[in-house]
Amino acid sequence: MNNTDNTQPATSKAPSHVAYVVRERKGQTGIFTRVGAAWPNKNGTGFNIQLDAVPLNGRITLLIPSDKTE
């Protein structure tokens, strides 16, 4: 299928944000699980988000990618 909708990010362009689900743990740091990525849309008023999984708690955290390995 030919996708002529230009709202999807180019696969060669790195995302501006990474989407995580954070599982809280009592008395410990949370566990971050990467579930997707986000790119600014063409007009700069929002983001195009691609999710590879959906969180059970309904909460997603978007963070700017860091140089740390995941």
Side-chain angles (χ1 to χ4, degrees), residues 29-62:
T29 58
I31 297 173
F32 285 67
T33 303
R34 184 178 177 153
V35 295
W39 294 261
N41 62 14
K42 282 186 175 184
N43 63 11
T45 61
F47 290 90
N48 297 319
I49 300 173
Q50 179 175 341
L51 296 176
D52 299 319
V54 178
L56 295 176
N57 67 0
R59 188 171 138 203
I60 296 173
T61 300
L62 290 175

